[in-house]
Amino acid sequence: MDAEESWRRYGLRPVGADLDEIRALLREHTTRERRAQGDGDTELMRLCCFQLFNSGDLDDVLLIWSAKQASFDAACSIDIEFLLGHGLDATKTHLSTNRAPSATAALDRLRELEADGEFEGFSVEERSAAYDRYYVD
């Protein structure tokens, strides 16, 4: 499945069992991309991350972070804002309660970017609308 097919099948705001399929798809392509850059479809990974961003489930934060860390191409393709589907403060709180090294790394990166003003004026709704335009146009 490529990004276009995923977009047609699940839309930009999937729910229920479709989210589980998107998570599995993202895990599969993250594993491929980690194995060898270019083996995973980073365009599809980006769409999956946006779809999960729209669901706003904090349990997806580390899955998105893992995808972003899969390779240089994935890091460039997957926006850090995709971690923030439930908002910046909720995401930082969620990550701070997790002792996994990946949670610490993600939290450190968010704090660094926040200190640099990267998230000033950030709004989940506005960011979602901007990404909608990216995929629909």
Side-chain angles (χ1 to χ4, degrees):
M1 177 179 302
D2 65 11
E4 186 175 325
E5 184 180 346
S6 178
W7 184 80
R8 277 187 272 121
R9 180 174 182 174
Y10 302 117
L12 297 177
R13 287 172 179 72
V15 294
D18 288 347
L19 287 169
D20 292 334
E21 291 178 28
I22 288 164
R23 289 178 186 111
L25 195 57
L26 182 57
R27 282 186 191 96
E28 174 190 341
H29 282 270
T30 298
T31 299
R32 289 181 185 180
E33 190 66 14
R34 278 192 197 288
R35 186 174 47 234
Q37 185 166 308
D39 280 0
D41 182 339
T42 55
E43 186 178 332
L44 174 60
M45 291 167 68
R46 177 184 170 86
L47 175 60
C48 289
C49 290
F50 176 56
Q51 291 164 321
L52 295 176
F53 166 87
N54 278 329
S55 79
D57 188 337
L58 287 168
D59 288 334
D60 291 326
V61 170
L62 289 179
L63 176 59
I64 295 167
W65 177 254
S66 176
K68 183 168 180 58
Q69 300 302 304
S71 71
F72 178 79
D73 286 351
C76 293
S77 297
I78 300 170
D79 297 342
I80 192 78
E81 288 87 357
F82 289 149
L83 299 176
L84 307 179
H86 204 78
L88 178 60
D89 291 336
T91 301
K92 290 189 318 183
T93 299
H94 175 73
L95 290 170
S96 69
T97 63
N98 189 321
R99 295 189 183 270
S102 59
T104 301
L107 181 58
D108 288 347
R109 184 67 179 138
L110 289 175
R111 286 179 174 157
E112 178 183 306
L113 291 170
E114 182 181 27
D116 289 343
E118 183 75 23
F119 304 121
E120 250 178 61
F122 175 82
S123 157
V124 171
E125 296 77 19
E126 288 176 17
R127 188 59 61 149
S128 182
Y131 288 124
D132 282 352
R133 288 188 297 276
Y134 172 84
Y135 283 105
V136 174
D137 291 342

